[in-house]
Amino acid sequence: MRTNRSAAVTAVALGFLLTIAQCSSSGSRSGSASGTSSATAATAAPAPPPAPTAEHIKLQHILIAFAGKVPGKNVTRTQDEARALAHQILNRAKKGEDFDSLVRTYTDDRAPGIYGLANSGVTPAPGEFSRDRMVPAFGEVGFSLAPGEIGIAEYDPVKSPYGWHVIKRLE
């Protein structure tokens, strides 16, 4: 956590210094018609630092695979059918349909599809997986969501090789 605070403080300080540098350079120009550009720049606040990334999260997901992507599963849908189904489920979930019910009905993984993840460089708690041991898209989407938000990890042969993951961040 100390590293995140240091990075945030550094980002704020850097933003402040850039604002001061912009004010200095615009204030030294004499070609301004109204003279307000340096005043505007002087009052502009630096952009806030990005929100710190969570160290531990809990996700629930629905895997939508296609033929040949999940070892030991007899999935028969085509890649196009899987893409369409994943996006239909995403839309239904975002409209408030019960996520647990969608998981039980559609996942090509084991229900309830709940996973705890520890971020990169963070020791996993008991029962959690390290983000680095999961397919990359799973962690990328999961850590980008706020609790309660729903997103999708698109199929990608490297980042999401099993198919589409409709992901809800629980915690």
Side-chain angles (χ1 to χ4, degrees):
M1 191 82 163
R2 178 179 221 121
T3 304
N4 289 345
R5 286 187 185 160
S6 297
V9 169
T10 301
V12 170
L14 182 58
F16 182 71
L17 290 174
L18 289 173
T19 302
I20 290 173
Q22 289 172 345
C23 290
S24 297
S25 66
S26 65
S28 65
R29 295 183 193 135
S30 58
S32 173
S34 66
T36 59
S37 65
S38 62
T40 302
T43 59
T53 304
E55 291 185 355
H56 303 272
I57 62 173
K58 187 179 283 188
L59 307 171
Q60 185 172 25
H61 86 123
I62 303 165
L63 172 63
I64 304 298
F66 56 96
K69 288 298 166 183
V70 181
K73 288 272 190 173
N74 187 23
V75 178
T76 59
R77 70 179 72 91
T78 67
Q79 184 173 344
D80 289 337
E81 290 169 336
R83 178 185 306 108
L85 179 59
H87 284 275
Q88 288 171 6
I89 293 167
L90 174 66
N91 291 334
R92 289 168 62 182
K94 284 187 169 190
K95 288 178 182 175
E97 196 163 330
D98 182 63
F99 203 81
D100 288 322
S101 178
L102 292 169
V103 171
R104 285 190 304 274
T105 303
Y106 293 105
T107 194
D108 291 317
D109 192 11
R110 288 175 286 168
I114 297 175
Y115 294 91
L117 294 182
N119 209 345
S120 299
V122 177
T123 302
E128 283 186 336
F129 294 91
S130 171
R131 175 182 182 168
D132 303 326
R133 297 194 60 199
M134 304 297 276
V135 296
F138 195 71
E140 288 170 8
V141 172
F143 279 94
S144 74
L145 298 172
E149 261 188 318
I150 299 167
I152 191 167
E154 298 286 341
Y155 166 70
D156 178 274
V158 174
K159 291 186 170 192
S160 185
Y162 301 112
W164 285 260
H165 296 269
V166 180
I167 300 169
K168 180 176 183 179
R169 181 161 167 199
L170 303 175
E171 298 173 7

